[in-house]
Amino acid sequence: MTKRRFLTTLLFVACLSLQAQINDLPRTSPEAVGLRSEQVAALFDSLLAYPRTEIHSCIVMRHGKVVGEMYPAPFRADYPHTQFSCSKTFVAAAVGIAVGEKKLRLSDKLVSFFPDKLPDIVSWQLKSITVEDLLTMRSGFVVDAKMRNVSRQWIRDYLAHPMNAKPGKLFQYDSIDTYLLSAIVQKVTGMTVLEYLRQRVFRYLNIREAQWELSPEGINTGGWGLYIQSESMAKFGQLLLQRGKWHDRQLIPATWVDAMMKRHTDTNKGKSGYGYQMWTCAYPTAMQANGLYGQFIIVVPKEDVVVVITQCTLGDTTREQAHIWKTLFRGMQKQPLAPSENWQLLKDRQWTLPLLEGEPMKTEPLQEKTFQLEKNPLGWSQLHFVADSLIEITDTAKRTGLIELGYQRWKTSKVGLYPLYARYAVVGRFRPIRPPFRIGACYAWTDEELQVKLHYVDWMASVLLRIKFEEERLEIIAKENYMNNPVTIVGTILPPPPPSQPL
């Protein structure tokens, strides 16, 4: 075999492997599992119409089979997505596997794992914290979400952190509790949580496209930072539904999965509950991995259902989930229903996020003009109009993104820019996740104003830009999807570079 043919074969196999990862769950019609195709379509339509929300994907499974899936353009099934606090549930699974392998116990004390990182004076409260207290968010630490934005020694600094409750008594949601669990797993296994899950779980689920952010200490961040595809989320949800068993292999101890999905403590004055890094749902037996801005893996043993949603929402997710129960579960049957032609319509349907409305591009006078931007929350320094429907953004670190803008359709470009990062600026954020990232973009002109919508389709953030031009300057009103209030950015035109001199 020639070298060229060998490389071609490798590339073909790699492409097949990637496709297998996103299409290897069995598919069937909703009717085959006691649902109606119209119900699934109605759920997708209602999610897309939900206020203050951009849906990125939704997968519905019953009896271990996908009966409906939606990836509204510009999103796609093969794009990964940040999980935010859905990551916590994966950490709980890793803890359970380590417990099953007798590498640690629920009653083990936190201080026993990090004797070299303890404060000079170890309080009785600190001495009392157990692995189970961390799992149920009852460590007793005063919650400090800003520590990770300034510290490079997260374990040492948090072990010296003030405490305001007796361990095991007061529920206080704290992502650093989960980080400490991640650190414990790494301590007792010699592997990061991601490496451990790759060996014990992910390889059996055919999940290879997974990344996880690392802390400055080289530990997976635990409480956030996992970065996987939606179908991988669905596989993990199905694994929990099957009490940790995949085909004929017990990947997570069944009793541990039961404990993860059991209400251990009340939250919010008893209106909701918390298991081991999972939340209760309003629907009977339902539990969920729950991430910021509406990332969900919902597991419903009573109905043998898994629902996965990735999105960016500022809406009421409790009401959103109530709508899922109402739309999907009403009239659900235990027996198959008669086949329906609506299933083919469901499979063939193409969903899309709203496109901007207006006129085609009018940038000819702007071509090859560059605007220097004042300091802004987006972290951008320059906006360059390269050609018709083509812009280049440069950030303050001199990274660039050449972005093609679609008119009345989405176009996607790979860029060297890091995504807009919601909520906080964690030390070492995105490490080891590296560009390129993808941006789906569209545009329209309205009333002498250029509107541009940019979606980071393998992340979660988007921004709507409304750009007004005034001779030598421009003004951008930027509205990020995870923020309530827009920001205004002013740019001034830069002189063209001097012509190159002949040699």
Side-chain angles (χ1 to χ4, degrees):
M1 181 183 292
T2 66
K3 182 177 179 181
R4 181 174 181 180
R5 185 177 177 186
F6 175 71
L7 292 174
T8 302
T9 302
L10 280 181
L11 179 60
F12 177 72
V13 171
C15 291
L16 283 180
S17 298
L18 178 59
Q19 288 302 311
Q21 178 172 309
I22 61 170
N23 288 296
D24 57 0
L25 283 173
R27 267 70 175 173
T28 192
S29 70
E31 285 73 19
V33 297
L35 278 164
R36 290 181 291 107
S37 295
E38 304 95 282
Q39 288 176 270
V40 179
L43 173 63
F44 293 165
D45 285 337
S46 61
L47 289 174
L48 282 171
Y50 201 73
R52 305 173 72 203
T53 298
E54 292 171 347
I55 294 291
H56 303 160
S57 73
C58 183
I59 300 175
V60 177
M61 296 185 67
R62 194 178 196 207
H63 302 337
K65 298 177 180 179
V66 175
V67 300
E69 56 194 313
M70 171 181 68
Y71 309 93
F75 290 85
R76 290 189 353 190
D78 57 322
Y79 294 163
H81 200 280
T82 187
Q83 297 298 296
F84 289 107
S85 288
C86 275
S87 308
K88 293 177 169 67
T89 308
F90 290 81
V91 175
V95 171
I97 297 167
V99 169
E101 294 175 349
K102 301 189 184 309
K103 290 181 168 65
L104 75 158
R105 297 168 299 179
L106 282 172
S107 59
D108 284 344
K109 299 295 194 289
L110 170 62
V111 295
S112 68
F113 298 102
F114 310 109
D116 57 331
K117 300 183 185 298
L118 298 176
D120 294 335
I121 299 176
V122 181
S123 68
W124 68 266
Q125 294 103 321
L126 181 58
K127 289 180 182 178
S128 301
I129 301 172
T130 66
V131 170
E132 186 167 31
D133 295 331
L134 297 172
L135 284 164
T136 57
M137 296 291 183
R138 295 183 292 183
S139 66
F141 285 118
V142 174
V143 180
D144 181 1
K146 295 182 179 179
M147 180 277 293
R148 51 191 162 172
N149 297 0
V150 294
S151 171
R152 303 192 70 84
Q153 301 183 85
W154 294 3
I155 298 173
R156 185 184 300 277
D157 286 354
Y158 228 65
L159 292 180
H161 201 62
M163 301 187 67
N164 63 352
K166 181 180 178 181
K169 295 297 181 183
L170 179 64
F171 175 87
Q172 298 181 112
Y173 189 75
D174 189 349
S175 290
I176 300 300
D177 280 3
T178 317
Y179 174 72
L180 293 171
L181 289 170
S182 177
I184 289 170
V185 170
Q186 186 163 328
K187 184 83 171 182
V188 301
T189 67
M191 294 179 275
T192 65
V193 164
L194 179 57
E195 292 167 341
Y196 192 49
L197 288 174
R198 282 189 195 279
Q199 282 199 13
R200 301 300 196 273
V201 176
F202 287 176
R203 66 190 179 118
Y204 300 107
L205 273 58
N206 194 29
I207 297 174
R208 293 180 306 281
E209 303 294 317
Q211 300 182 74
W212 205 318
E213 291 184 44
L214 291 169
S215 75
E217 299 172 299
I219 298 166
N220 287 137
T221 47
W224 68 97
L226 178 60
Y227 184 63
I228 58 176
Q229 295 161 328
S230 299
E231 185 159 335
S232 297
M233 298 168 69
K235 292 175 183 177
F236 186 70
Q238 186 64 31
L239 178 65
L240 296 180
L241 188 65
Q242 295 168 181
R243 301 181 68 224
K245 192 172 186 178
W246 196 257
H247 299 306
D248 59 350
R249 189 181 296 269
Q250 194 71 44
L251 304 182
I252 310 170
T255 54
W256 183 263
V257 177
D258 294 343
M260 286 176 62
M261 296 181 60
K262 175 185 175 182
R263 186 184 191 123
H264 289 278
T265 183
D266 288 335
T267 67
N268 190 23
K269 299 181 180 179
K271 293 182 179 179
S272 58
Y274 202 70
Y276 288 167
Q277 306 288 291
M278 295 188 75
W279 293 87
T280 62
C281 297
Y283 198 86
T285 76
M287 295 288 289
Q288 60 179 307
N290 182 322
L292 187 67
Y293 303 113
Q295 321 317 315
F296 294 117
I297 306 173
I298 301 171
V299 182
V300 193
K302 182 177 183 289
E303 307 294 354
D304 200 19
V305 163
V306 172
V307 178
V308 164
I309 297 176
T310 62
Q311 61 186 322
C312 182
T313 181
L314 299 180
D316 183 344
T317 57
T318 303
R319 291 184 60 189
E320 183 183 54
Q321 287 193 16
H323 195 72
I324 294 173
W325 320 138
K326 179 181 177 181
T327 305
L328 199 61
F329 293 169
R330 180 175 292 179
M332 183 182 289
Q333 301 295 314
K334 293 183 179 180
Q335 302 300 321
L337 304 177
S340 170
E341 62 182 15
N342 290 323
W343 180 41
Q344 191 63 45
L345 296 175
L346 176 66
K347 288 199 302 179
D348 293 343
R349 186 165 171 191
Q350 301 294 315
W351 279 269
T352 183
L353 293 181
L355 292 159
L356 297 174
E357 296 182 2
E359 300 299 318
M361 186 62 76
K362 302 177 182 178
T363 59
E364 186 174 347
L366 297 170
Q367 288 182 17
E368 295 303 326
K369 290 187 177 180
T370 302
F371 292 84
Q372 182 70 37
L373 306 179
E374 64 182 12
K375 185 177 180 180
N376 60 82
L378 304 184
W380 296 346
S381 62
Q382 290 185 356
L383 178 60
H384 176 51
F385 292 86
V386 180
D388 188 37
S389 306
L390 191 64
I391 62 173
E392 184 177 52
I393 295 171
T394 304
D395 69 13
T396 54
K398 306 299 183 183
R399 294 180 291 248
T400 61
L402 191 63
I403 304 169
E404 190 174 6
L405 308 178
Y407 176 64
Q408 296 183 343
R409 62 175 174 151
W410 294 100
K411 288 191 176 182
T412 301
S413 309
K414 287 186 176 180
V415 299
L417 300 170
Y418 279 91
L420 308 171
Y421 199 82
R423 187 166 157 235
Y424 46 72
V426 175
V427 172
R429 63 191 183 276
F430 292 118
R431 175 175 173 252
I433 301 170
R434 295 285 180 256
F437 290 93
R438 300 179 184 89
I439 290 181
C442 69
Y443 82 92
W445 275 93
T446 59
D447 298 327
E448 304 304 319
E449 174 183 274
L450 173 62
Q451 293 192 11
V452 175
K453 186 66 180 280
L454 305 177
H455 273 286
Y456 288 86
V457 291
D458 45 13
W459 193 249
M460 56 72 64
S462 74
V463 60
L464 173 64
L465 308 175
R466 296 173 52 199
I467 308 172
K468 294 183 177 181
F469 301 91
E470 298 177 5
E471 297 183 358
E472 302 298 303
R473 71 190 292 273
L474 58 73
E475 180 182 273
I476 303 173
I477 298 176
K479 176 66 171 66
E480 297 153 290
N481 60 348
Y482 56 87
M483 300 292 288
N484 281 307
N485 299 317
V487 297
T488 300
I489 305 168
V490 174
T492 53
I493 196 167
L494 292 174
S500 57
Q501 297 297 321
L503 295 176

